[in-house]
Amino acid sequence: MVTKVGRTNTMLICSDCGHPRADKAQAHRVKLQHVATTAFLAAVTVLVIAVLRVSISRSLPPEPAGTVQAGSEETP
């Protein structure tokens, strides 16, 4: 049986003998969590950029060539 001890740096300690569990398994888990978090943030960033590009391209319709905007004058 294993007991969780600590608040900020939690450790797993054997309830029967009091020896801590091997730290190697936890270090690998922390590294995997960092990689997963980085991949998730990268995916969210790409999604936000894609949505912004689509929304900007749809909000501004292209102007036909040769038309004059209201309030502006053509200079020869």
Side-chain angles (χ1 to χ4, degrees):
M1 197 170 207
V2 179
T3 305
K4 184 177 174 182
V5 179
R7 291 186 181 198
T8 57
N9 295 333
T10 57
M11 280 181 74
L12 297 177
I13 296 179
C14 178
S15 299
D16 297 330
C17 61
H19 290 289
R21 194 167 179 184
D23 291 346
K24 289 183 181 180
Q26 290 180 355
H28 176 67
R29 180 179 237 175
V30 169
K31 184 176 180 181
L32 183 62
Q33 287 175 345
H34 285 249
V35 170
T37 302
T38 303
F40 175 75
L41 291 176
V44 168
T45 302
V46 168
L47 181 65
V48 168
I49 290 171
V51 168
L52 285 174
R53 283 187 156 196
V54 168
S55 68
I56 288 172
S57 68
R58 288 187 182 209
S59 66
L60 300 174
E63 286 189 31
T67 61
V68 179
Q69 294 180 352
S72 66
E73 297 179 17
E74 282 190 26
T75 56

